[in-house]
Amino acid sequence: MKIRVKQAPTTMRNSKLTIAITAALAVLAGTAIYALGQGKDKYSLVSPGGIAFSDFRGYEDWATVSSAHTDDVLKVIVANPEMIKAFKSGVPGNGQPFPDGSMIVKLQWKPKKSTEAPFVVDVPDVFKQVFVMEKDSKRFPKTGGWGYAVFNYDAASDKFTADPTALQDCGNACHLVVKAKDYIFHPYQKR
């Protein structure tokens, strides 16, 4: 006489394991979709002139070139490693242009007076804008090889948007006055 062992407990364990694995995968998938969605807000943007924000991925960690301050805006100018290398080799002062692939970014904040410093100093308050320049002489032959774009930041929604009108205020037209310096205003500052 053969005795059969009931399979129900194993089936129940397998069902619970399947449910647990499915739940874990759902959480992981949800996290991945959320992360992709967050990146999409910024890096899926393309300016009206065809400059993709994703071309500047990692700009937050690029080396500082210079800074500037107007009555309305505090600016920090950073550049990608290719452009920093060119600056350090003497470009544009040595008469050479920046190589294709060079990228420079101007990060702009609304200033406020520091309430903590023991002296009068403006510090960044609300982040406003990312102004970008990308050197690609094949894509941008009419503007000295440089492409320009502006991406505005809205603090209330925590979102970036490509600015469709910003280049009417600046872009290549503003940079023509520094054509002899390969259209770059700010030199790499001594440190």
Side-chain angles (χ1 to χ4, degrees):
M1 174 191 249
K2 286 187 176 181
I3 299 177
R4 290 189 149 192
V5 177
K6 289 186 180 180
Q7 296 295 321
T10 304
T11 304
M12 285 183 69
R13 276 194 303 258
N14 287 343
S15 294
K16 288 180 181 179
L17 181 60
T18 301
I19 290 169
I21 290 171
T22 303
L25 288 174
V27 169
L28 288 173
T31 302
I33 290 168
Y34 176 79
L36 288 173
Q38 294 305 305
K40 183 178 179 184
D41 288 344
K42 181 159 112 176
Y43 289 121
S44 68
L45 297 174
V46 178
S47 75
I51 304 286
F53 204 158
S54 61
D55 289 349
F56 297 84
R57 190 179 303 273
Y59 72 90
E60 301 92 341
D61 297 320
W62 290 355
T64 302
V65 172
S66 187
S67 64
H69 180 214
T70 68
D71 290 340
D72 302 322
V73 183
L74 289 175
K75 306 173 185 187
V76 174
I77 298 93
V78 299
N80 71 345
E82 293 83 357
M83 191 158 182
I84 294 294
K85 182 178 177 183
F87 269 126
K88 288 181 175 181
S89 74
V91 174
N94 61 8
Q96 297 296 311
F98 288 97
D100 279 1
S102 294
M103 295 181 184
I104 194 163
V105 174
K106 189 182 333 172
L107 306 168
Q108 302 186 121
W109 289 265
K110 180 179 174 188
K112 69 177 181 178
K113 299 287 181 207
S114 172
T115 58
E116 298 168 332
F119 46 85
V120 177
V121 63
D122 284 340
V123 295
D125 186 15
V126 178
F127 188 68
K128 301 296 284 176
Q129 202 170 60
V130 177
F131 175 86
V132 301
M133 292 175 61
E134 176 177 8
K135 183 78 176 264
D136 186 332
S137 49
K138 290 180 183 158
R139 282 179 62 200
F140 312 110
K142 294 179 181 177
T143 53
W146 290 99
Y148 304 83
V150 175
F151 298 95
N152 294 321
Y153 177 72
D154 178 62
S157 66
D158 190 28
K159 302 245 186 254
F160 284 88
T161 56
D163 191 323
T165 62
L167 298 185
Q168 293 170 1
D169 297 329
C170 198
N172 186 251
C174 283
H175 289 251
L176 286 174
V177 298
V178 287
K179 181 179 179 180
K181 295 179 358 182
D182 199 15
Y183 303 91
I184 299 297
F185 279 103
H186 298 277
Y188 184 74
Q189 297 296 324
K190 186 78 176 163
R191 50 205 78 193

